[in-house]
């Protein structure tokens, strides 16, 4: 099938929840450009700031914030979300209105929403990107999963950044029996490429996610790495206007890195200490890196993935409160994430926007 995509405008809108949704949209935005589409990026907070740095010449629009905050105590995570739920609903209504206006104002031809619940349209082709067909919330998983699948059905297609069969990366998060919506498994999404480079760092620490948990882990690890024997690069995951670099003894600190710098640093590092977020897992698969996970306290999805990968003998993990730097020795007893790679057929995927 051949078609002309010249000048078709696609709105791509990642959720601002940590940086994972934004970073996994980077290869999609590049693919849109390479296939003669015009992307417009819409998000809020640090997700929008990061994408503005990655694509300074792409138009960006600001969406309302979902007001997602973590509790200091991971056990209160669900109740914190419930408390914020009314504000989240308001934000979803507001973004629905904004999207309707933007479609007319910017002559938008299609939509890709990465977990933004109000970014869709019945008038133009709409795609929903998610690895969470099932949404882990403990005892209420059945309800949140049904609710999420109801939202997915509003879209023409649902793209899951994973593999349909086994092995796969999302396990029951991204796999359901007999889906009643148009589901496509597109393979792992990563902005990273493996390169053969000299090793500069024995350990790479990369943080992400909403506050206060990101900051709490940063404070803990700054103390723990004082006992680490080896060179460390520590990326705090704080997106600011200017990049800051600081050398303290055997540790090189950065507030943030862009994609090119991150790719280089991953390749220059022997092992990685990080959260067990799904986008991070996809990056580690692409880079064939051995890692150690500290899931965000109370975030059921990260805890589930960390547990599954440990059970498979691939990656060890620890609860945040229990972690000590000596635990990194466990990595030697695990196989590391396997390289799972199928080239993404972007032209085939983008045919949805020819409807």
């Amino acid at each position: 099938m051949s078609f002309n995509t010249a000048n078709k405008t696609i709105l791509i809108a990642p959720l601002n929840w940590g940086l994972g949704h934004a970073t996994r949209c980077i290869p999609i935005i590049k693919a849109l450009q390479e296939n003669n589409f015009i992307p417009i990026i819409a998000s809020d907070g640090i997700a929008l700031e990061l994408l503005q740095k990655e694509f300074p010449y792409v138009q960006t629009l600001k969406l309302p914030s979902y007001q997602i905050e973590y509790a200091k105590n991971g056990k209160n995570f669900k109740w914190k979300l419930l408390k914020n739920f009314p504000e989240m609903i308001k934000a979803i209504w507001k973004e629905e209105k904004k999207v309707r206006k933007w479609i007319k104002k910017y002559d938008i031809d299609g939509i890709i929403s990465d977990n933004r619940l109000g970014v869709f349209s019945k008038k133009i082709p709409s795609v929903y990107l998610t690895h969470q067909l099932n949404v882990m919330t403990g005892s209420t998983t059945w309800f949140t999963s049904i609710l999420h699948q109801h939202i997915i059905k509003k879209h023409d297609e649902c793209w899951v950044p994973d593999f349909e069969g086994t092995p796969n990366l999302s396990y029951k998060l991204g796999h359901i029996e007999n889906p009643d919506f148009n589901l496509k498994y597109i393979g792992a999404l990563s902005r990273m490429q493996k390169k053969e480079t000299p090793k500069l760092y024995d350990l790479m620490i990369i943080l992400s996610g909403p506050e206060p948990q990101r900051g709490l882990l940063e404070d803990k690890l700054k103390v723990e790495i004082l006992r680490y024997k080896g060179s460390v690069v520590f990326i705090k995951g704080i997106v600011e206007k200017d990049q800051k670099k600081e050398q303290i003894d055997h540790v090189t600190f950065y507030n943030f890195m862009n994609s090119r710098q991150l790719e280089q640093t991953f390749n220059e590092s022997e092992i990685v200490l990080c959260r067990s977020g799904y986008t991070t897992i996809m990056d580690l698969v692409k880079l064939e890196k051995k890692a150690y996970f500290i899931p965000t306290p109370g975030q059921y999805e990260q805890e589930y993935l960390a547990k599954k990968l440990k059970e498979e003998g691939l990656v060890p993990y620890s609860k945040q409160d229990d972690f000590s730097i000596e635990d990194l020795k466990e990595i030697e007893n695990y196989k590391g994430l396997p390289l799972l790679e199928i080239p993404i057929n972007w032209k085939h995927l983008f045919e949805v926007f020819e409807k």
Side-chain angles (χ1 to χ4, degrees), residues 34-80:
E34 289 166 2
N35 285 273
N36 300 318
F37 292 94
I38 301 170
I40 295 179
I41 299 166
S43 191
D44 67 285
I46 59 171
L48 184 59
E49 291 170 21
L50 181 140
L51 291 173
Q52 286 170 332
K53 290 179 183 295
E54 291 287 333
F55 300 99
Y57 302 110
V58 172
Q59 183 174 6
T60 58
L61 303 171
K62 188 174 181 180
L63 284 165
S65 171
Y66 281 16
Q67 304 293 330
I68 297 169
E69 295 178 9
Y70 278 77
K72 287 186 178 180
N73 186 332
K75 293 179 181 178
N76 298 327
F77 173 66
K78 189 194 297 187
W79 309 116
K80 185 79 169 178

Side-chain angles (χ1 to χ4, degrees), residues 3-8 28-38 345-348 350:
F3 49 81
N4 180 23
T5 62
N7 298 323
K8 279 194 175 261
I28 299 178
I29 296 166
K30 289 181 177 178
L32 285 169
Q33 292 175 321
E34 289 166 2
N35 285 273
N36 300 318
F37 292 94
I38 301 170
N345 187 338
W346 292 112
K347 286 188 177 180
H348 176 67
F350 292 155

Side-chain angles (χ1 to χ4, degrees), residues 225-239:
I225 57 174
L226 296 176
R227 302 196 309 276
Y228 186 77
K229 308 298 182 185
S231 56
V232 180
V233 59
F234 194 128
I235 301 139
K236 299 177 182 179
I238 303 172
V239 179

Side-chain angles (χ1 to χ4, degrees), residues 333-345:
N333 302 322
Y334 289 78
K335 292 180 285 188
L337 288 159
L339 177 63
L340 299 173
E341 191 170 23
I342 298 174
I344 298 175
N345 187 338

Side-chain angles (χ1 to χ4, degrees), residues 62 64 93 130 141 155 165 169 176 192 205 232 234 253 273 287 304 315 320 352:
K62 188 174 181 180
W93 287 341
T130 188
T141 292
H155 299 74
L169 301 176
I176 58 174
M192 304 294 171
I205 298 173
V232 180
F234 194 128
F253 290 94
L273 174 60
L287 295 160
Y304 167 76
V315 183
Q320 186 165 300
V352 66

Side-chain angles (χ1 to χ4, degrees), residues 9 25 46 49 69 85 88 112 138 158 168 245 262 267 342:
T9 301
C25 283
I46 59 171
E49 291 170 21
E69 295 178 9
F85 191 69
M88 185 175 174
I112 301 173
C158 176
N168 60 68
K245 179 182 178 182
L262 266 180
N267 281 292
I342 298 174

Side-chain angles (χ1 to χ4, degrees), residues 161-172 174-175 185 187-188 278 281 285 308-309 312 314 335-342:
D162 196 5
F163 306 92
E164 185 170 6
T166 54
N168 60 68
L169 301 176
S170 63
Y171 302 99
K172 67 180 180 182
H175 297 82
Y185 289 91
Y278 188 68
I281 291 170
V285 165
K308 289 293 290 183
L309 291 168
E312 298 276 341
L314 301 175
K335 292 180 285 188
L337 288 159
L339 177 63
L340 299 173
E341 191 170 23
I342 298 174

